[in-house]
Amino acid sequence: MISAQSLIYADGTVETQLVLAAIWACIWFFFVKASSKLFFEPLVASMPWCEQWTSLNGKTFKTSFGIDFKSSKEVFEFACLFLAILCQHAFGGALCIPSVLGWRGRVVDAMACHGALCEAGWELQDAMERICQLVFGGEAGRAKNPKP
């Protein structure tokens, strides 16, 4: 049985690491969508540069990622989702900063492990979501995941 302490300190057992990756995947699945809809979309929509920002993001997504959205509403929603994804990556990276700076200790080690597991959890949930989009999302799901 995995203890709360082993989860908090991100003990180095395979079982603990897998459980933590799954926990982080669930956290990011809900947090990214919720923060995009409840925080970033209202914030960006209230700004005078919203239309220009949406247009620039649409061009970036098309040229950099090969994603061509059908409407500016889709671009806006995806760009706000992208902001939430950037926050997820920043959080995972921030957890690693004390370790990178050379600080030592059990808490610092746990933070670095959680930082790495944040990213592993993100990748796990992202892969699962993309598979679902491709398999069950129809044309719209395939449009969000263009072939390279």
Side-chain angles (χ1 to χ4, degrees), residues 2-59:
I2 299 172
S3 69
Q5 183 174 349
S6 66
L7 292 174
I8 290 168
Y9 287 111
D11 286 348
T13 64
V14 173
E15 296 84 12
T16 301
Q17 299 290 302
L18 290 174
V19 167
L20 284 171
I23 289 170
W24 281 113
C26 292
I27 289 169
W28 295 131
F29 179 79
F30 293 108
F31 172 80
V32 168
K33 287 173 181 45
S35 63
S36 174
K37 289 287 180 198
L38 301 174
F39 180 73
F40 288 112
E41 285 187 20
L43 175 69
V44 174
S46 71
M47 298 297 165
W49 39 260
C50 177
E51 284 184 36
Q52 182 182 16
W53 180 81
T54 302
S55 175
L56 290 171
N57 274 287
K59 291 174 187 172

Side-chain angles (χ1 to χ4, degrees):
M1 181 79 176
I2 299 172
S3 69
Q5 183 174 349
S6 66
L7 292 174
I8 290 168
Y9 287 111
D11 286 348
T13 64
V14 173
E15 296 84 12
T16 301
Q17 299 290 302
L18 290 174
V19 167
L20 284 171
I23 289 170
W24 281 113
C26 292
I27 289 169
W28 295 131
F29 179 79
F30 293 108
F31 172 80
V32 168
K33 287 173 181 45
S35 63
S36 174
K37 289 287 180 198
L38 301 174
F39 180 73
F40 288 112
E41 285 187 20
L43 175 69
V44 174
S46 71
M47 298 297 165
W49 39 260
C50 177
E51 284 184 36
Q52 182 182 16
W53 180 81
T54 302
S55 175
L56 290 171
N57 274 287
K59 291 174 187 172
T60 299
F61 293 141
K62 185 173 184 175
T63 58
S64 298
F65 306 121
I67 304 172
D68 192 12
F69 293 99
K70 293 184 184 341
S71 70
S72 63
K73 181 180 185 279
E74 288 179 344
V75 174
F76 174 77
E77 289 172 351
F78 191 76
C80 290
L81 181 68
F82 209 74
L83 289 175
I85 292 167
L86 289 173
C87 289
Q88 178 278 322
H89 289 302
F91 180 78
L95 285 173
C96 297
I97 290 173
S99 182
V100 170
L101 294 175
W103 298 357
R104 296 288 170 246
R106 189 169 185 196
V107 173
V108 172
D109 293 344
M111 288 173 64
C113 287
H114 278 289
L117 288 164
C118 277
E119 294 305 314
W122 165 257
E123 295 302 333
L124 175 63
Q125 78 81 34
D126 189 47
M128 297 304 294
E129 185 166 358
R130 291 184 184 283
I131 289 168
C132 288
Q133 286 172 345
L134 290 169
V135 174
F136 305 113
E139 194 61 40
R142 286 188 291 281
K144 292 179 182 177
N145 299 282
K147 294 179 183 176

